[in-house]
mmCIF file of all heavy atoms in Angstrom:
data_model
loop_
_atom_site.group_PDB
_atom_site.id
_atom_site.type_symbol
_atom_site.label_atom_id
_atom_site.label_comp_id
_atom_site.label_asym_id
_atom_site.label_seq_id
_atom_site.Cartn_x
_atom_site.Cartn_y
_atom_site.Cartn_z
ATOM 1 N N MET A 1 22.797 27.141 55.603
ATOM 2 C CA MET A 1 23.100 25.962 56.391
ATOM 3 C C MET A 1 24.602 25.705 56.298
ATOM 4 O O MET A 1 25.204 25.798 55.243
ATOM 5 C CB MET A 1 22.311 24.777 55.857
ATOM 6 C CG MET A 1 22.539 23.509 56.641
ATOM 7 S SD MET A 1 21.554 22.126 56.064
ATOM 8 C CE MET A 1 19.933 22.693 56.460
ATOM 9 N N ALA A 2 25.219 25.388 57.410
ATOM 10 C CA ALA A 2 26.654 25.131 57.440
ATOM 11 C C ALA A 2 26.977 23.839 56.712
ATOM 12 O O ALA A 2 26.150 22.941 56.599
ATOM 13 C CB ALA A 2 27.130 25.049 58.888
ATOM 14 N N GLN A 3 28.212 23.753 56.241
ATOM 15 C CA GLN A 3 28.625 22.573 55.475
ATOM 16 C C GLN A 3 28.486 21.294 56.302
ATOM 17 O O GLN A 3 28.027 20.279 55.797
ATOM 18 C CB GLN A 3 30.055 22.721 54.988
ATOM 19 C CG GLN A 3 30.475 21.548 54.100
ATOM 20 C CD GLN A 3 31.855 21.732 53.527
ATOM 21 O OE1 GLN A 3 32.523 22.727 53.769
ATOM 22 N NE2 GLN A 3 32.294 20.773 52.765
ATOM 23 N N ALA A 4 28.850 21.332 57.575
ATOM 24 C CA ALA A 4 28.726 20.143 58.419
ATOM 25 C C ALA A 4 27.270 19.722 58.544
ATOM 26 O O ALA A 4 26.951 18.536 58.514
ATOM 27 C CB ALA A 4 29.325 20.402 59.798
ATOM 28 N N ASP A 5 26.363 20.701 58.654
ATOM 29 C CA ASP A 5 24.940 20.389 58.715
ATOM 30 C C ASP A 5 24.463 19.750 57.417
ATOM 31 O O ASP A 5 23.670 18.827 57.422
ATOM 32 C CB ASP A 5 24.115 21.638 58.991
ATOM 33 C CG ASP A 5 24.325 22.184 60.393
ATOM 34 O OD1 ASP A 5 24.764 21.421 61.279
ATOM 35 O OD2 ASP A 5 24.052 23.377 60.596
ATOM 36 N N GLU A 6 24.959 20.261 56.276
ATOM 37 C CA GLU A 6 24.573 19.704 54.983
ATOM 38 C C GLU A 6 25.050 18.266 54.854
ATOM 39 O O GLU A 6 24.337 17.429 54.315
ATOM 40 C CB GLU A 6 25.127 20.552 53.847
ATOM 41 C CG GLU A 6 24.422 21.881 53.712
ATOM 42 C CD GLU A 6 24.882 22.676 52.520
ATOM 43 O OE1 GLU A 6 25.400 22.084 51.561
ATOM 44 O OE2 GLU A 6 24.718 23.899 52.552
ATOM 45 N N ILE A 7 26.244 17.979 55.361
ATOM 46 C CA ILE A 7 26.761 16.613 55.309
ATOM 47 C C ILE A 7 25.896 15.701 56.163
ATOM 48 O O ILE A 7 25.556 14.593 55.761
ATOM 49 C CB ILE A 7 28.233 16.571 55.749
ATOM 50 C CG1 ILE A 7 29.100 17.284 54.712
ATOM 51 C CG2 ILE A 7 28.708 15.140 55.953
ATOM 52 C CD1 ILE A 7 30.520 17.524 55.142
ATOM 53 N N GLU A 8 25.486 16.162 57.330
ATOM 54 C CA GLU A 8 24.623 15.357 58.192
ATOM 55 C C GLU A 8 23.271 15.116 57.527
ATOM 56 O O GLU A 8 22.747 14.007 57.597
ATOM 57 C CB GLU A 8 24.450 16.032 59.548
ATOM 58 C CG GLU A 8 25.701 16.017 60.390
ATOM 59 C CD GLU A 8 25.521 16.717 61.720
ATOM 60 O OE1 GLU A 8 24.376 16.770 62.208
ATOM 61 O OE2 GLU A 8 26.513 17.206 62.256
ATOM 62 N N VAL A 9 22.716 16.131 56.881
ATOM 63 C CA VAL A 9 21.440 15.971 56.193
ATOM 64 C C VAL A 9 21.605 14.979 55.045
ATOM 65 O O VAL A 9 20.790 14.079 54.865
ATOM 66 C CB VAL A 9 20.906 17.328 55.681
ATOM 67 C CG1 VAL A 9 19.737 17.131 54.722
ATOM 68 C CG2 VAL A 9 20.508 18.206 56.845
ATOM 69 N N ALA A 10 22.674 15.123 54.285
ATOM 70 C CA ALA A 10 22.918 14.210 53.166
ATOM 71 C C ALA A 10 23.067 12.775 53.665
ATOM 72 O O ALA A 10 22.526 11.844 53.062
ATOM 73 C CB ALA A 10 24.160 14.646 52.393
ATOM 74 N N GLY A 11 23.781 12.599 54.766
ATOM 75 C CA GLY A 11 23.952 11.265 55.337
ATOM 76 C C GLY A 11 22.640 10.675 55.808
ATOM 77 O O GLY A 11 22.358 9.488 55.593
ATOM 78 N N LEU A 12 21.821 11.493 56.443
ATOM 79 C CA LEU A 12 20.524 11.036 56.917
ATOM 80 C C LEU A 12 19.625 10.660 55.740
ATOM 81 O O LEU A 12 18.976 9.606 55.748
ATOM 82 C CB LEU A 12 19.859 12.116 57.770
ATOM 83 C CG LEU A 12 18.459 11.814 58.281
ATOM 84 C CD1 LEU A 12 18.430 10.530 59.098
ATOM 85 C CD2 LEU A 12 17.957 12.974 59.102
ATOM 86 N N LEU A 13 19.611 11.497 54.708
ATOM 87 C CA LEU A 13 18.802 11.193 53.533
ATOM 88 C C LEU A 13 19.294 9.923 52.840
ATOM 89 O O LEU A 13 18.486 9.129 52.346
ATOM 90 C CB LEU A 13 18.794 12.373 52.562
ATOM 91 C CG LEU A 13 17.984 13.578 53.012
ATOM 92 C CD1 LEU A 13 18.210 14.756 52.069
ATOM 93 C CD2 LEU A 13 16.506 13.242 53.108
ATOM 94 N N ALA A 14 20.590 9.717 52.822
ATOM 95 C CA ALA A 14 21.138 8.500 52.220
ATOM 96 C C ALA A 14 20.697 7.267 52.997
ATOM 97 O O ALA A 14 20.334 6.240 52.400
ATOM 98 C CB ALA A 14 22.662 8.577 52.156
ATOM 99 N N ARG A 15 20.704 7.354 54.321
ATOM 100 C CA ARG A 15 20.267 6.219 55.143
ATOM 101 C C ARG A 15 18.781 5.940 54.950
ATOM 102 O O ARG A 15 18.353 4.787 54.867
ATOM 103 C CB ARG A 15 20.576 6.477 56.606
ATOM 104 C CG ARG A 15 22.094 6.458 56.887
ATOM 105 C CD ARG A 15 22.410 6.605 58.327
ATOM 106 N NE ARG A 15 22.002 5.386 59.033
ATOM 107 C CZ ARG A 15 22.131 5.223 60.336
ATOM 108 N NH1 ARG A 15 22.639 6.187 61.072
ATOM 109 N NH2 ARG A 15 21.750 4.105 60.901
ATOM 110 N N LEU A 16 17.988 6.995 54.875
ATOM 111 C CA LEU A 16 16.559 6.822 54.631
ATOM 112 C C LEU A 16 16.300 6.225 53.247
ATOM 113 O O LEU A 16 15.433 5.362 53.081
ATOM 114 C CB LEU A 16 15.820 8.152 54.789
ATOM 115 C CG LEU A 16 15.687 8.688 56.206
ATOM 116 C CD1 LEU A 16 15.203 10.129 56.189
ATOM 117 C CD2 LEU A 16 14.757 7.809 57.025
ATOM 118 N N ALA A 17 17.044 6.684 52.250
ATOM 119 C CA ALA A 17 16.887 6.147 50.897
ATOM 120 C C ALA A 17 17.280 4.682 50.842
ATOM 121 O O ALA A 17 16.629 3.884 50.152
ATOM 122 C CB ALA A 17 17.713 6.968 49.910
ATOM 123 N N GLU A 18 18.321 4.308 51.559
ATOM 124 C CA GLU A 18 18.731 2.905 51.599
ATOM 125 C C GLU A 18 17.661 2.053 52.277
ATOM 126 O O GLU A 18 17.334 0.961 51.800
ATOM 127 C CB GLU A 18 20.062 2.758 52.330
ATOM 128 C CG GLU A 18 20.544 1.312 52.444
ATOM 129 C CD GLU A 18 20.740 0.601 51.122
ATOM 130 O OE1 GLU A 18 21.023 1.257 50.105
ATOM 131 O OE2 GLU A 18 20.600 -0.645 51.101
ATOM 132 N N ALA A 19 17.099 2.543 53.362
ATOM 133 C CA ALA A 19 16.019 1.820 54.037
ATOM 134 C C ALA A 19 14.809 1.708 53.118
ATOM 135 O O ALA A 19 14.150 0.664 53.075
ATOM 136 C CB ALA A 19 15.648 2.521 55.343
ATOM 137 N N GLN A 20 14.520 2.758 52.365
ATOM 138 C CA GLN A 20 13.428 2.727 51.406
ATOM 139 C C GLN A 20 13.681 1.636 50.374
ATOM 140 O O GLN A 20 12.790 0.841 50.053
ATOM 141 C CB GLN A 20 13.295 4.078 50.709
ATOM 142 C CG GLN A 20 12.289 4.077 49.583
ATOM 143 C CD GLN A 20 12.324 5.345 48.756
ATOM 144 O OE1 GLN A 20 12.875 6.359 49.174
ATOM 145 N NE2 GLN A 20 11.749 5.306 47.577
ATOM 146 N N HIS A 21 14.881 1.584 49.857
ATOM 147 C CA HIS A 21 15.241 0.573 48.855
ATOM 148 C C HIS A 21 15.077 -0.833 49.427
ATOM 149 O O HIS A 21 14.527 -1.722 48.767
ATOM 150 C CB HIS A 21 16.676 0.819 48.377
ATOM 151 C CG HIS A 21 17.139 -0.139 47.338
ATOM 152 N ND1 HIS A 21 16.643 -0.142 46.059
ATOM 153 C CD2 HIS A 21 18.048 -1.139 47.390
ATOM 154 C CE1 HIS A 21 17.223 -1.103 45.373
ATOM 155 N NE2 HIS A 21 18.077 -1.717 46.160
ATOM 156 N N GLN A 22 15.525 -1.027 50.662
ATOM 157 C CA GLN A 22 15.396 -2.331 51.302
ATOM 158 C C GLN A 22 13.924 -2.698 51.505
ATOM 159 O O GLN A 22 13.543 -3.858 51.332
ATOM 160 C CB GLN A 22 16.139 -2.347 52.635
ATOM 161 C CG GLN A 22 17.641 -2.319 52.475
ATOM 162 C CD GLN A 22 18.361 -2.204 53.804
ATOM 163 O OE1 GLN A 22 17.786 -1.770 54.796
ATOM 164 N NE2 GLN A 22 19.627 -2.593 53.819
ATOM 165 N N ALA A 23 13.092 -1.730 51.847
ATOM 166 C CA ALA A 23 11.662 -1.988 52.018
ATOM 167 C C ALA A 23 11.023 -2.348 50.677
ATOM 168 O O ALA A 23 10.163 -3.232 50.607
ATOM 169 C CB ALA A 23 10.968 -0.783 52.638
ATOM 170 N N GLU A 24 11.457 -1.671 49.619
ATOM 171 C CA GLU A 24 10.928 -1.978 48.287
ATOM 172 C C GLU A 24 11.309 -3.390 47.849
ATOM 173 O O GLU A 24 10.541 -4.049 47.144
ATOM 174 C CB GLU A 24 11.424 -0.952 47.266
ATOM 175 C CG GLU A 24 10.834 0.423 47.461
ATOM 176 C CD GLU A 24 11.485 1.507 46.621
ATOM 177 O OE1 GLU A 24 12.608 1.300 46.097
ATOM 178 O OE2 GLU A 24 10.876 2.578 46.510
ATOM 179 N N LEU A 25 12.473 -3.849 48.270
ATOM 180 C CA LEU A 25 12.930 -5.195 47.927
ATOM 181 C C LEU A 25 12.360 -6.262 48.857
ATOM 182 O O LEU A 25 12.548 -7.454 48.623
ATOM 183 C CB LEU A 25 14.463 -5.272 47.968
ATOM 184 C CG LEU A 25 15.219 -4.442 46.940
ATOM 185 C CD1 LEU A 25 16.719 -4.531 47.186
ATOM 186 C CD2 LEU A 25 14.876 -4.906 45.532
ATOM 187 N N GLY A 26 11.701 -5.844 49.917
ATOM 188 C CA GLY A 26 11.144 -6.779 50.880
ATOM 189 C C GLY A 26 12.121 -7.210 51.955
ATOM 190 O O GLY A 26 11.829 -8.091 52.751
ATOM 191 N N GLU A 27 13.304 -6.575 51.993
ATOM 192 C CA GLU A 27 14.295 -6.891 53.026
ATOM 193 C C GLU A 27 13.900 -6.276 54.368
ATOM 194 O O GLU A 27 14.312 -6.755 55.410
ATOM 195 C CB GLU A 27 15.681 -6.406 52.597
ATOM 196 C CG GLU A 27 16.198 -7.115 51.359
ATOM 197 C CD GLU A 27 17.458 -6.497 50.808
ATOM 198 O OE1 GLU A 27 18.023 -5.566 51.427
ATOM 199 O OE2 GLU A 27 17.896 -6.937 49.731
ATOM 200 N N LEU A 28 13.151 -5.200 54.329
ATOM 201 C CA LEU A 28 12.541 -4.593 55.509
ATOM 202 C C LEU A 28 11.039 -4.693 55.333
ATOM 203 O O LEU A 28 10.541 -4.954 54.240
ATOM 204 C CB LEU A 28 12.942 -3.120 55.646
ATOM 205 C CG LEU A 28 14.392 -2.808 55.959
ATOM 206 C CD1 LEU A 28 14.608 -1.294 56.002
ATOM 207 C CD2 LEU A 28 14.814 -3.416 57.279
ATOM 208 N N ASN A 29 10.322 -4.442 56.376
ATOM 209 C CA ASN A 29 8.860 -4.506 56.331
ATOM 210 C C ASN A 29 8.336 -3.472 55.327
ATOM 211 O O ASN A 29 8.527 -2.271 55.515
ATOM 212 C CB ASN A 29 8.296 -4.222 57.723
ATOM 213 C CG ASN A 29 6.799 -4.350 57.787
ATOM 214 O OD1 ASN A 29 6.130 -4.435 56.774
ATOM 215 N ND2 ASN A 29 6.288 -4.366 58.999
ATOM 216 N N PRO A 30 7.680 -3.912 54.260
ATOM 217 C CA PRO A 30 7.153 -2.981 53.259
ATOM 218 C C PRO A 30 6.151 -1.977 53.834
ATOM 219 O O PRO A 30 5.947 -0.916 53.251
ATOM 220 C CB PRO A 30 6.477 -3.884 52.227
ATOM 221 C CG PRO A 30 7.088 -5.227 52.424
ATOM 222 C CD PRO A 30 7.459 -5.301 53.879
ATOM 223 N N ALA A 31 5.550 -2.279 54.969
ATOM 224 C CA ALA A 31 4.621 -1.346 55.593
ATOM 225 C C ALA A 31 5.331 -0.082 56.072
ATOM 226 O O ALA A 31 4.686 0.937 56.328
ATOM 227 C CB ALA A 31 3.905 -2.022 56.763
ATOM 228 N N GLU A 32 6.651 -0.142 56.185
ATOM 229 C CA GLU A 32 7.424 1.025 56.617
ATOM 230 C C GLU A 32 7.659 2.018 55.485
ATOM 231 O O GLU A 32 8.073 3.150 55.723
ATOM 232 C CB GLU A 32 8.770 0.579 57.189
ATOM 233 C CG GLU A 32 8.660 -0.248 58.450
ATOM 234 C CD GLU A 32 10.005 -0.694 58.982
ATOM 235 O OE1 GLU A 32 11.036 -0.149 58.564
ATOM 236 O OE2 GLU A 32 10.009 -1.599 59.820
ATOM 237 N N LEU A 33 7.405 1.616 54.253
ATOM 238 C CA LEU A 33 7.710 2.444 53.088
ATOM 239 C C LEU A 33 7.066 3.833 53.141
ATOM 240 O O LEU A 33 7.767 4.833 52.939
ATOM 241 C CB LEU A 33 7.332 1.702 51.812
ATOM 242 C CG LEU A 33 7.843 2.272 50.508
ATOM 243 C CD1 LEU A 33 9.346 2.484 50.522
ATOM 244 C CD2 LEU A 33 7.457 1.358 49.362
ATOM 245 N N PRO A 34 5.773 3.955 53.412
ATOM 246 C CA PRO A 34 5.190 5.313 53.457
ATOM 247 C C PRO A 34 5.862 6.208 54.505
ATOM 248 O O PRO A 34 6.075 7.399 54.264
ATOM 249 C CB PRO A 34 3.720 5.069 53.804
ATOM 250 C CG PRO A 34 3.453 3.666 53.369
ATOM 251 C CD PRO A 34 4.747 2.929 53.596
ATOM 252 N N GLY A 35 6.207 5.655 55.639
ATOM 253 C CA GLY A 35 6.873 6.443 56.676
ATOM 254 C C GLY A 35 8.262 6.883 56.260
ATOM 255 O O GLY A 35 8.690 8.001 56.569
ATOM 256 N N LEU A 36 8.971 6.013 55.553
ATOM 257 C CA LEU A 36 10.304 6.365 55.076
ATOM 258 C C LEU A 36 10.234 7.480 54.038
ATOM 259 O O LEU A 36 11.058 8.405 54.050
ATOM 260 C CB LEU A 36 11.001 5.135 54.489
ATOM 261 C CG LEU A 36 11.361 4.049 55.497
ATOM 262 C CD1 LEU A 36 11.730 2.754 54.783
ATOM 263 C CD2 LEU A 36 12.503 4.520 56.387
ATOM 264 N N LEU A 37 9.249 7.397 53.160
ATOM 265 C CA LEU A 37 9.077 8.453 52.155
ATOM 266 C C LEU A 37 8.734 9.782 52.823
ATOM 267 O O LEU A 37 9.278 10.831 52.461
ATOM 268 C CB LEU A 37 7.979 8.061 51.162
ATOM 269 C CG LEU A 37 8.297 6.851 50.281
ATOM 270 C CD1 LEU A 37 7.058 6.432 49.498
ATOM 271 C CD2 LEU A 37 9.445 7.159 49.349
ATOM 272 N N ARG A 38 7.846 9.732 53.807
ATOM 273 C CA ARG A 38 7.449 10.957 54.516
ATOM 274 C C ARG A 38 8.632 11.528 55.291
ATOM 275 O O ARG A 38 8.821 12.747 55.323
ATOM 276 C CB ARG A 38 6.265 10.660 55.457
ATOM 277 C CG ARG A 38 5.770 11.859 56.196
ATOM 278 C CD ARG A 38 5.130 12.861 55.242
ATOM 279 N NE ARG A 38 4.714 14.020 56.001
ATOM 280 C CZ ARG A 38 4.879 15.267 55.580
ATOM 281 N NH1 ARG A 38 5.399 15.511 54.411
ATOM 282 N NH2 ARG A 38 4.493 16.260 56.339
ATOM 283 N N ALA A 39 9.425 10.664 55.903
ATOM 284 C CA ALA A 39 10.591 11.122 56.661
ATOM 285 C C ALA A 39 11.566 11.874 55.747
ATOM 286 O O ALA A 39 12.122 12.903 56.141
ATOM 287 C CB ALA A 39 11.285 9.949 57.340
ATOM 288 N N GLN A 40 11.759 11.373 54.544
ATOM 289 C CA GLN A 40 12.645 12.061 53.606
ATOM 290 C C GLN A 40 12.111 13.447 53.265
ATOM 291 O O GLN A 40 12.876 14.416 53.202
ATOM 292 C CB GLN A 40 12.820 11.227 52.337
ATOM 293 C CG GLN A 40 13.635 9.970 52.589
ATOM 294 C CD GLN A 40 13.741 9.102 51.368
ATOM 295 O OE1 GLN A 40 14.304 9.533 50.368
ATOM 296 N NE2 GLN A 40 13.203 7.900 51.443
ATOM 297 N N ARG A 41 10.813 13.548 53.055
ATOM 298 C CA ARG A 41 10.216 14.852 52.753
ATOM 299 C C ARG A 41 10.380 15.818 53.921
ATOM 300 O O ARG A 41 10.704 16.988 53.739
ATOM 301 C CB ARG A 41 8.736 14.713 52.400
ATOM 302 C CG ARG A 41 8.488 14.047 51.068
ATOM 303 C CD ARG A 41 7.011 14.046 50.704
ATOM 304 N NE ARG A 41 6.500 15.386 50.419
ATOM 305 C CZ ARG A 41 6.607 16.015 49.250
ATOM 306 N NH1 ARG A 41 7.208 15.417 48.253
ATOM 307 N NH2 ARG A 41 6.116 17.219 49.085
ATOM 308 N N ILE A 42 10.154 15.324 55.131
ATOM 309 C CA ILE A 42 10.274 16.179 56.317
ATOM 310 C C ILE A 42 11.705 16.674 56.477
ATOM 311 O O ILE A 42 11.932 17.862 56.729
ATOM 312 C CB ILE A 42 9.801 15.423 57.573
ATOM 313 C CG1 ILE A 42 8.291 15.221 57.525
ATOM 314 C CG2 ILE A 42 10.218 16.157 58.846
ATOM 315 C CD1 ILE A 42 7.754 14.269 58.578
ATOM 316 N N VAL A 43 12.680 15.791 56.327
ATOM 317 C CA VAL A 43 14.088 16.186 56.457
ATOM 318 C C VAL A 43 14.423 17.236 55.409
ATOM 319 O O VAL A 43 15.058 18.252 55.705
ATOM 320 C CB VAL A 43 15.021 14.963 56.343
ATOM 321 C CG1 VAL A 43 16.473 15.392 56.216
ATOM 322 C CG2 VAL A 43 14.833 14.046 57.547
ATOM 323 N N ARG A 44 13.978 17.018 54.182
ATOM 324 C CA ARG A 44 14.248 18.000 53.119
ATOM 325 C C ARG A 44 13.581 19.346 53.418
ATOM 326 O O ARG A 44 14.176 20.396 53.194
ATOM 327 C CB ARG A 44 13.785 17.474 51.767
ATOM 328 C CG ARG A 44 14.681 16.389 51.226
ATOM 329 C CD ARG A 44 14.188 15.915 49.868
ATOM 330 N NE ARG A 44 15.117 14.997 49.283
ATOM 331 C CZ ARG A 44 16.221 15.345 48.629
ATOM 332 N NH1 ARG A 44 16.525 16.604 48.482
ATOM 333 N NH2 ARG A 44 17.020 14.433 48.129
ATOM 334 N N GLU A 45 12.357 19.327 53.924
ATOM 335 C CA GLU A 45 11.665 20.571 54.252
ATOM 336 C C GLU A 45 12.393 21.325 55.357
ATOM 337 O O GLU A 45 12.590 22.537 55.263
ATOM 338 C CB GLU A 45 10.227 20.277 54.673
ATOM 339 C CG GLU A 45 9.329 19.855 53.528
ATOM 340 C CD GLU A 45 7.963 19.380 53.988
ATOM 341 O OE1 GLU A 45 7.674 19.388 55.205
ATOM 342 O OE2 GLU A 45 7.166 18.984 53.120
ATOM 343 N N ILE A 46 12.789 20.618 56.410
ATOM 344 C CA ILE A 46 13.479 21.263 57.528
ATOM 345 C C ILE A 46 14.819 21.843 57.093
ATOM 346 O O ILE A 46 15.201 22.926 57.507
ATOM 347 C CB ILE A 46 13.661 20.274 58.696
ATOM 348 C CG1 ILE A 46 12.299 19.961 59.324
ATOM 349 C CG2 ILE A 46 14.637 20.808 59.740
ATOM 350 C CD1 ILE A 46 12.328 18.832 60.325
ATOM 351 N N ALA A 47 15.534 21.103 56.235
ATOM 352 C CA ALA A 47 16.852 21.547 55.774
ATOM 353 C C ALA A 47 16.747 22.564 54.642
ATOM 354 O O ALA A 47 17.767 23.069 54.177
ATOM 355 C CB ALA A 47 17.672 20.342 55.315
ATOM 356 N N ASP A 48 15.511 22.848 54.188
ATOM 357 C CA ASP A 48 15.282 23.761 53.067
ATOM 358 C C ASP A 48 15.949 23.252 51.798
ATOM 359 O O ASP A 48 16.527 24.005 51.031
ATOM 360 C CB ASP A 48 15.747 25.177 53.407
ATOM 361 C CG ASP A 48 15.113 26.220 52.512
ATOM 362 O OD1 ASP A 48 13.998 25.966 52.009
ATOM 363 O OD2 ASP A 48 15.736 27.279 52.296
ATOM 364 N N TRP A 49 15.878 21.921 51.609
ATOM 365 C CA TRP A 49 16.367 21.282 50.389
ATOM 366 C C TRP A 49 15.172 21.027 49.491
ATOM 367 O O TRP A 49 14.050 20.885 49.977
ATOM 368 C CB TRP A 49 17.060 19.962 50.709
ATOM 369 C CG TRP A 49 18.430 20.094 51.298
ATOM 370 C CD1 TRP A 49 18.936 21.154 51.976
ATOM 371 C CD2 TRP A 49 19.463 19.114 51.279
ATOM 372 N NE1 TRP A 49 20.213 20.888 52.388
ATOM 373 C CE2 TRP A 49 20.567 19.637 51.963
ATOM 374 C CE3 TRP A 49 19.552 17.834 50.757
ATOM 375 C CZ2 TRP A 49 21.744 18.942 52.128
ATOM 376 C CZ3 TRP A 49 20.732 17.138 50.914
ATOM 377 C CH2 TRP A 49 21.827 17.686 51.586
ATOM 378 N N PRO A 50 15.388 20.929 48.188
ATOM 379 C CA PRO A 50 14.262 20.682 47.278
ATOM 380 C C PRO A 50 13.532 19.391 47.617
ATOM 381 O O PRO A 50 14.142 18.335 47.719
ATOM 382 C CB PRO A 50 14.922 20.572 45.902
ATOM 383 C CG PRO A 50 16.257 21.207 46.054
ATOM 384 C CD PRO A 50 16.650 21.055 47.484
ATOM 385 N N VAL A 51 12.239 19.497 47.812
ATOM 386 C CA VAL A 51 11.421 18.323 48.137
ATOM 387 C C VAL A 51 11.037 17.595 46.863
ATOM 388 O O VAL A 51 10.828 16.387 46.870
ATOM 389 C CB VAL A 51 10.158 18.753 48.926
ATOM 390 C CG1 VAL A 51 9.232 17.584 49.180
ATOM 391 C CG2 VAL A 51 10.562 19.415 50.231
ATOM 392 N N GLU A 52 11.006 18.282 45.746
ATOM 393 C CA GLU A 52 10.614 17.687 44.489
ATOM 394 C C GLU A 52 11.497 16.503 44.107
ATOM 395 O O GLU A 52 11.085 15.629 43.377
ATOM 396 C CB GLU A 52 10.667 18.716 43.353
ATOM 397 C CG GLU A 52 9.691 19.858 43.525
ATOM 398 C CD GLU A 52 10.203 20.923 44.491
ATOM 399 O OE1 GLU A 52 11.419 21.100 44.646
ATOM 400 O OE2 GLU A 52 9.359 21.570 45.107
ATOM 401 N N ALA A 53 12.706 16.455 44.612
ATOM 402 C CA ALA A 53 13.637 15.381 44.273
ATOM 403 C C ALA A 53 13.092 14.023 44.697
ATOM 404 O O ALA A 53 13.443 13.001 44.124
ATOM 405 C CB ALA A 53 14.998 15.630 44.919
ATOM 406 N N ASP A 54 12.228 13.999 45.712
ATOM 407 C CA ASP A 54 11.668 12.732 46.185
ATOM 408 C C ASP A 54 10.292 12.450 45.611
ATOM 409 O O ASP A 54 9.735 11.388 45.834
ATOM 410 C CB ASP A 54 11.543 12.748 47.718
ATOM 411 C CG ASP A 54 12.896 12.732 48.400
ATOM 412 O OD1 ASP A 54 13.833 12.156 47.828
ATOM 413 O OD2 ASP A 54 13.002 13.279 49.492
ATOM 414 N N SER A 55 9.733 13.372 44.856
ATOM 415 C CA SER A 55 8.350 13.229 44.433
ATOM 416 C C SER A 55 8.139 12.116 43.420
ATOM 417 O O SER A 55 7.023 11.642 43.252
ATOM 418 C CB SER A 55 7.825 14.544 43.875
ATOM 419 O OG SER A 55 8.541 14.908 42.717
ATOM 420 N N ASP A 56 9.186 11.685 42.729
ATOM 421 C CA ASP A 56 9.025 10.637 41.723
ATOM 422 C C ASP A 56 9.236 9.248 42.284
ATOM 423 O O ASP A 56 9.169 8.274 41.569
ATOM 424 C CB ASP A 56 9.968 10.875 40.549
ATOM 425 C CG ASP A 56 11.439 10.786 40.946
ATOM 426 O OD1 ASP A 56 11.746 10.917 42.139
ATOM 427 O OD2 ASP A 56 12.278 10.580 40.050
ATOM 428 N N ARG A 57 9.477 9.124 43.562
ATOM 429 C CA ARG A 57 9.745 7.808 44.150
ATOM 430 C C ARG A 57 8.466 7.115 44.496
ATOM 431 O O ARG A 57 7.490 7.622 44.857
ATOM 432 C CB ARG A 57 10.607 7.949 45.398
ATOM 433 C CG ARG A 57 11.988 8.413 45.031
ATOM 434 C CD ARG A 57 12.839 8.389 46.236
ATOM 435 N NE ARG A 57 14.166 8.834 45.858
ATOM 436 C CZ ARG A 57 15.160 8.918 46.658
ATOM 437 N NH1 ARG A 57 15.031 8.593 47.906
ATOM 438 N NH2 ARG A 57 16.325 9.317 46.269
#
């Protein structure tokens, strides 16, 4: 994967993680939490990044 692609993936994962954090705090709809977690896994799978990093969340 090209460096620019990795930066985009990292940025996307960071935004998803921030949304996850906000949902956990109740700042966003907590019902969105499962979708945010799944989205992170999908992005990691597509980018061929380790999925295990999200398994403890």
Side-chain angles (χ1 to χ4, degrees):
M1 181 177 294
Q3 184 176 0
D5 291 338
E6 288 185 23
I7 292 170
E8 290 179 26
V9 168
L12 177 57
L13 288 172
R15 291 184 70 181
L16 289 168
E18 179 59 28
Q20 173 189 343
H21 181 70
Q22 290 175 339
E24 291 170 343
L25 295 175
E27 296 171 5
L28 293 178
N29 184 348
E32 295 179 15
L33 193 53
L36 292 166
L37 294 171
R38 181 67 182 138
Q40 290 176 63
R41 290 185 68 83
I42 290 169
V43 169
R44 287 181 173 279
E45 288 172 1
I46 291 170
D48 200 27
W49 284 24
V51 175
E52 296 80 27
D54 291 329
S55 63
D56 64 340
R57 292 187 180 181

